[in-house]
Amino acid sequence: MSEKRLALVGAHPDDCDILGAGLALRYRALGWKVMFVSMANGDCGHQSMSRADLAARRKAETEAVANLLDIDYTVMDVPDCEVMPTLEQRWNLLRVLRRFAPDLVVTHHALDYHPDHRYTSQLVGDVAYLLKVPHCCPDVPALRKNTVQAFFYAARQTGRMDEFTVAVPIDEQWDKKVAAMACHESQMYEWLPWVDFRDMDAIPPASDAAGRLAYVSDWRRPAFARLAEMYRDRLPAGTQLAEAYYAAPYPTSLNAENAKELFPFGC
Ligand SMILES: [Zn+2]
């Protein structure tokens, strides 16, 4: 099977990790290339750090993930909560994706909860066809292949989607996915517990590395256990954890035919 290239495009520097690190690990295990893109720099995601310091810290966190997963991680120079379907952001994303030349692009659902997620989804949709149009951004050669489009299955969704969906077992990838999520220390142990009103006293200290990983695993596991339960009729018996990817409403969408090549480990 020929090499495939996967681009996950999230709004913030942790979205791809939370939603799609299992798929990324599946691709890397085959020797296939993976790039994560964050459309925003993450500089609003903290209750006390300055925006400039936070953006720098979060960039470093993405670099730790890139090293851990052996992937590229691109963070765009857009402040948090300012992702918009502007021409500037459209062309910048177009250039990044053309240079990587993905076979599969996954992004947020168009109706996701956060405006940055929704506009990231729109931007990815906006460039889907333009990747092949040479007169748009002629400084980077247009692609001479189709790029398949899919959406993440957001953890907060509670029912099966009507669109074509691929479920990916991630039991064997879970520990490393947890380690990738845990690289985002500013998020997993500071901002997200605070903004979600979790018990801050229950967070293990930085000196307790194993406790920190277990904290993230226990917190994040139910969402992926729910997906495994939702698609248990098609997943291998005994699958405990799964990610799911479903068709985006574009001509080059994920479908039963292209999924055979793009998800050889999927169901
Ligand atoms: Zn986000």
Side-chain angles (χ1 to χ4, degrees), residues 33-104:
K33 297 285 191 299
V34 177
M35 175 176 64
F36 288 3
V37 179
S38 176
M39 282 305 299
N41 66 11
D43 68 350
C44 280
H46 208 275
Q47 63 274 39
S48 57
M49 284 186 74
S50 78
R51 294 185 68 167
D53 287 350
L54 180 60
R57 183 179 180 194
R58 296 194 69 177
K59 182 77 168 73
E61 289 170 348
T62 67
E63 287 163 2
V65 173
N67 287 332
L68 179 72
L69 301 183
D70 190 23
I71 63 168
D72 296 333
Y73 208 132
T74 299
V75 179
M76 308 292 265
D77 187 22
V78 175
D80 259 10
C81 307
E82 295 185 20
V83 176
M84 291 285 289
T86 63
L87 288 179
E88 182 184 18
Q89 293 184 34
R90 180 196 292 178
W91 300 144
N92 286 340
L93 177 61
L94 181 72
R95 290 185 176 99
V96 165
L97 290 180
R98 275 189 185 165
R99 289 191 187 102
F100 184 71
D103 298 286
L104 172 64

Side-chain angles (χ1 to χ4, degrees), residues 43-180:
D43 68 350
C44 280
H46 208 275
Q47 63 274 39
S48 57
M49 284 186 74
S50 78
R51 294 185 68 167
D53 287 350
L54 180 60
R57 183 179 180 194
R58 296 194 69 177
K59 182 77 168 73
E61 289 170 348
T62 67
E63 287 163 2
V65 173
N67 287 332
L68 179 72
L69 301 183
D70 190 23
I71 63 168
D72 296 333
Y73 208 132
T74 299
V75 179
M76 308 292 265
D77 187 22
V78 175
D80 259 10
C81 307
E82 295 185 20
V83 176
M84 291 285 289
T86 63
L87 288 179
E88 182 184 18
Q89 293 184 34
R90 180 196 292 178
W91 300 144
N92 286 340
L93 177 61
L94 181 72
R95 290 185 176 99
V96 165
L97 290 180
R98 275 189 185 165
R99 289 191 187 102
F100 184 71
D103 298 286
L104 172 64
V105 174
V106 183
T107 190
H108 302 289
H109 189 278
L111 301 179
D112 210 307
Y113 80 107
H114 193 297
D116 284 347
H117 291 206
R118 290 197 297 276
Y119 293 128
T120 293
S121 184
Q122 180 168 342
L123 284 159
V124 172
D126 289 348
V127 303
Y129 181 75
L130 306 185
L131 289 168
K132 299 187 295 185
V133 179
H135 279 317
C136 292
C137 297
D139 52 304
V140 182
L143 300 186
R144 291 299 296 151
K145 65 177 178 182
N146 283 320
T147 299
V148 171
Q149 310 278 318
F151 287 153
F152 290 121
Y153 197 107
R156 69 195 62 77
Q157 291 169 224
T158 54
R160 280 172 77 139
M161 305 303 293
D162 292 335
E163 297 90 345
F164 176 76
T165 304
V166 176
V168 177
I170 60 162
D171 294 276
E172 291 174 16
Q173 288 75 28
W174 181 249
D175 287 348
K176 201 158 186 182
K177 172 169 173 145
V178 168

